[in-house]
Amino acid sequence: GDFLDDDGSGTLVFRHALVRDVAYAGLPFRLRRDMHNRVGTTIETRLADPATESELLSLHFFHAGAYDKAWAYSRVAGERAHSRYAYVEASDFFERAIESARRETTVPAPEVATVFEKLGDVRTLAGASHDAITAYRRARKHLADASTASADLMYKEAILEQRLGKFTKSLALLSHGMHQLEGLNDPHAASVRAKLATRYGFARYLQGRAKDAIKWCEIGVSEARRGTDKMALAMAYNALQLAYLRTDQEPDRPYGALAMRTYEQLEDLPGQGHSANTLAIAAHRAGRWDEAEQLFGHAAEIFGRIGDITNESNAIYNRADLLIRQCRFADAEPLLREVVETARAVDDEELVALALRELARAQSGMGKSADADELFGEARERLAALGLRHELVTFDAARAEAALRAGDAHTALHLADEAIRLSHELDGSEVTPWLDRIRADALIALGATDEAATIIEHGLAADGTGDGGYDRAMLLLIAARLAERRGEPAQPLESEAAQILRALGVVTPATGRVAAGTSSG
C-alpha cells in the first residue's frame, strides 16, 4: 500500500517510477524473462490483431528472449512509427529487430537486409546521415553483390555522400550501381537504373554541368518509362526541370508540373515537397516572386510536417535567398541562421557553405561589413573543399557586390573578373548579368566611364525579360548613375527600373547603386 495505487479498473500502478525501476532491477534475471514472456503472451492472446500493440510486444518478447516474436513485432512497430513520421522511435524498433535477428539465426539474410535498409531510411529522414550510410552498407553485406537490390542501396548511399559533400565518392557509387545492372533488362532493374541515372544528373547539376545533367536525367526518364515506375519517373521529371533551369534552353515539356502531378497521384508527400521547391525556383526565374515565396514556404511546410528537417532547411534556404534579392535582409537573416544550425547538425556540408554565403550577403546588406567578411571567409573555404566550382562563381559575385557596397571598387572589379574567368571554364554562368553589373558599377566608381558604358549598352541590348526583368532593372539603375555623372537625364531610366522592381517586391529604394544580385537557387 505504500508503493502501489489502484487505478480503479483493478490494475495496480507504482506511485513513483523510481520505486518501479528499483523493484524491476532487483528481480532475478530468469524471473524477469519469465514475467516479460507472460505479459507478452497475455497481450498477444487477448487481442484480435496483436499488431496494434506491436510496440509493447516488441519490448516484452525481446526481454523475454523470444527473439523470433521480437523480430516480427519490432519490424511492425518500426513501420508503424515510420508511418507517423516518428523517425527516432522507428530507428529504435528497427535496431531491436536487427538485434533479435542476430540472436535468432534462422532469419533469412535478405529479410535482415530489408530491415537494415528501413533503418537507413528513417535515419536519413532524421538527419543522421553517417549512421544511415552505415545501415545501408550493412544491408548490402546481406545481399549478393551484383543484385538489383544492392544497386538500389548504392543509390541511397550516394544521396547521403552528396549531402556530406563527397561528390567523387557519390558519383563512384552511382557508376558502380549502374555497372552492376548491365545486362539486366527486367522492370525492377530499369527502375533502379532510372534512379541512379537521375541522381547522377542531379550531381552534375550541383556541379554546374547543366548539359551533362540534362543528358543523364533524360536517361532517367527513359529508364523509368521502361520500368513503368511512376515514382522514378516523377523524380527524373523533377531533376530534368532543375537542369533546364540552369540553361537558356526551353524544355520540350513542362517537366516540373508533370512531376508534381505524378507525385500527387501517388500521394507522395516528400515528392510533392521536392516538386514544390522546383516549381518555386522556376517561378523565381520567371519573375513571379510572390508565387515563388509561397511555393518555397509550401515546400518547407510539407517537409516540416513529415519531419524531414534536412529538406525543410533547403526550402527555407531558398526562400531566404529570394528575400535577399528583394533586399529584405533583416527578414532573411534569422532564417539563414536557422538553416546553418540545422545543416551543421545533420552534416549537410553543402548547405552549410551556401547558407553561410547568403548570411554574409544579408550582413553586408545591413551594413555589417566585418561580420560579412568573416562569414564570407568560412563559406569560401567550405565551397572550395567541396569542389563546387559553379557555386564559387556565385560566391565571387556576392563577395564583389559586398566590396562594392563597402566602397572598395578595386576589389569588386578584381573579384568580378575572376568570377567571369572561372565561369568561362564551366558551361557558362547564370550570374553573368550580375557580374557585368558589378563591373560596370565598379568602373564608374574608378572613372572608367567609357568602358562601363559599353557594358551597360551591351546588357540593355540583350534579352532582359528573364527573371521578370530583374537584371534589366538593376542595369538601368547603373545606367541612371552613369547618366547623372555625364549630366544626362536619369529619371526615365530610374522610373522604368522602379516599375519592374516594385512588381518583384524589391523593397530597397532605387538609388542607382547595385542593391542585390542573382543567386543559383
Side-chain angles (χ1 to χ4, degrees):
D2 293 334
F3 304 110
L4 301 171
D5 283 328
D6 190 328
D7 70 354
S9 65
T11 299
L12 297 176
V13 296
F14 281 97
R15 289 180 177 176
H16 299 287
L18 179 61
V19 175
R20 178 200 63 198
D21 293 345
V22 170
Y24 179 80
L27 292 174
F29 182 69
R30 181 174 295 179
L31 176 58
R32 189 187 305 174
R33 289 184 62 167
D34 178 61
M35 291 177 71
H36 275 296
N37 189 58
R38 287 166 60 191
V39 172
T41 301
T42 299
I43 294 172
E44 189 179 38
T45 55
R46 285 182 177 178
L47 294 173
D49 182 9
T52 58
E53 292 291 346
S54 56
E55 295 80 7
L56 275 175
L57 293 171
S58 162
L59 170 74
H60 287 301
F61 283 127
F62 181 79
H63 290 293
Y67 297 117
D68 54 342
K69 290 188 175 183
W71 155 257
Y73 286 120
S74 296
R75 290 180 70 181
V76 174
E79 288 164 1
R80 279 162 57 90
H82 188 181
S83 69
R84 298 192 305 272
Y85 312 121
Y87 302 127
V88 174
E89 184 181 345
S91 180
D92 290 341
F93 283 120
F94 288 137
E95 287 173 3
R96 183 180 292 160
I98 289 165
E99 179 59 23
S100 299
R102 189 184 68 81
R103 301 186 187 196
E104 176 60 51
T105 57
T106 60
V107 179
E111 292 187 27
V112 178
T114 297
V115 177
F116 267 120
E117 182 178 6
K118 290 179 182 293
L119 176 60
D121 291 346
V122 295
R123 284 175 171 177
T124 296
L125 290 165
S129 301
H130 290 287
D131 291 338
I133 288 173
T134 299
Y136 290 139
R137 288 177 181 171
R138 293 184 68 184
R140 282 201 281 136
K141 288 182 179 179
H142 287 77
L143 297 170
D145 288 339
S147 69
T148 303
S150 179
D152 200 8
L153 288 164
M154 289 181 190
Y155 157 75
K156 293 184 175 184
E157 194 176 331
I159 292 175
L160 296 172
E161 295 291 3
Q162 282 183 17
R163 180 181 294 177
L164 295 171
K166 299 177 182 177
F167 282 85
T168 300
K169 197 168 188 177
S170 174
L171 291 171
L173 278 165
L174 295 168
S175 296
H176 190 189
M178 286 186 279
H179 178 71
Q180 280 195 178
L181 297 175
E182 288 179 0
L184 299 177
N185 297 311
D186 59 282
H188 186 199
S191 296
V192 175
R193 194 181 293 112
K195 293 190 290 185
L196 290 163
T198 297
R199 197 69 199 186
Y200 200 98
F202 184 68
R204 288 306 198 193
Y205 161 81
L206 292 175
Q207 292 177 318
R209 305 291 186 182
K211 293 178 183 177
D212 212 19
I214 289 172
K215 180 189 77 173
W216 282 102
C217 291
E218 285 177 341
I219 293 172
V221 169
S222 176
E223 289 295 323
R225 286 173 177 160
R226 286 204 321 122
T228 63
D229 187 335
K230 283 191 172 184
M231 185 69 74
L233 184 61
M235 289 169 49
Y237 280 155
N238 194 56
L240 190 53
Q241 178 68 69
L242 277 173
Y244 271 110
L245 287 173
R246 192 155 272 180
T247 71
D248 294 329
Q249 297 175 247
E250 284 294 325
D252 57 335
R253 301 181 69 190
Y255 291 111
L258 288 171
M260 177 61 85
R261 188 184 311 158
T262 306
Y263 280 129
E264 288 174 345
Q265 290 172 351
L266 295 169
E267 298 183 351
D268 182 87
L269 280 177
Q272 289 173 41
H274 287 297
S275 191
N277 196 62
T278 299
L279 290 172
I281 294 173
H284 186 176
R285 304 291 169 84
R288 303 189 305 274
W289 288 12
D290 286 345
E291 178 186 343
E293 186 179 357
Q294 291 174 3
L295 283 166
F296 283 135
H298 181 53
E301 185 271 329
I302 290 174
F303 289 127
R305 196 190 323 163
I306 63 176
D308 188 345
I309 57 175
T310 301
N311 283 307
E312 181 185 11
S313 291
N314 270 300
I316 293 172
Y317 163 81
N318 284 328
R319 178 174 173 238
D321 176 74
L322 175 59
L323 292 174
I324 286 175
R325 299 198 65 201
Q326 292 178 314
C327 302
R328 295 162 61 186
F329 304 116
D331 292 334
E333 184 193 24
L335 296 178
L336 289 165
R337 292 196 182 280
E338 176 187 345
V339 170
V340 170
E341 182 179 351
T342 302
R344 289 188 196 277
V346 300
D347 296 319
D348 192 333
E349 295 298 327
E350 180 199 358
L351 186 56
V352 171
L354 295 177
L356 285 171
R357 181 189 68 196
E358 298 308 304
L359 183 56
R361 291 181 67 196
Q363 296 291 83
S364 172
M366 291 188 292
K368 301 176 182 179
S369 298
D371 293 339
D373 287 343
E374 184 178 346
L375 291 164
F376 274 129
E378 184 180 354
R380 198 183 202 295
E381 285 182 13
R382 288 176 173 274
L383 288 170
L386 292 170
L388 297 176
R389 301 180 74 204
H390 181 86
E391 295 294 351
L392 282 172
V393 176
T394 305
F395 173 88
D396 284 342
R399 185 68 187 86
E401 174 190 85
L404 193 59
R405 186 178 283 119
D408 188 352
H410 283 286
T411 298
L413 187 60
H414 171 71
L415 288 168
D417 287 341
E418 283 297 299
I420 288 173
R421 180 191 59 77
L422 179 56
S423 73
H424 287 162
E425 295 177 9
L426 304 173
D427 288 344
S429 175
E430 61 195 7
V431 301
T432 299
W434 183 15
L435 291 166
D436 285 341
R437 294 198 305 272
I438 292 170
R439 292 186 72 249
D441 206 0
L443 288 166
I444 292 172
L446 295 171
T449 55
D450 289 343
E451 190 176 349
T454 300
I455 294 172
I456 293 169
E457 182 179 353
H458 177 75
L460 291 177
D463 179 12
T465 59
D467 224 6
Y470 177 81
D471 289 329
R472 177 176 176 80
M474 299 307 290
L475 195 58
L476 284 167
L477 292 180
I478 299 172
R481 184 168 171 236
L482 179 60
E484 284 181 349
R485 177 164 292 206
R486 290 177 165 180
E488 299 170 355
Q491 196 276 331
L493 299 168
E494 292 178 346
S495 295
E496 182 183 348
Q499 184 177 1
I500 296 170
L501 296 177
R502 192 161 45 247
L504 295 175
V506 178
V507 298
T508 296
T511 62
R513 170 70 65 179
V514 173
T518 63
S519 70
S520 62

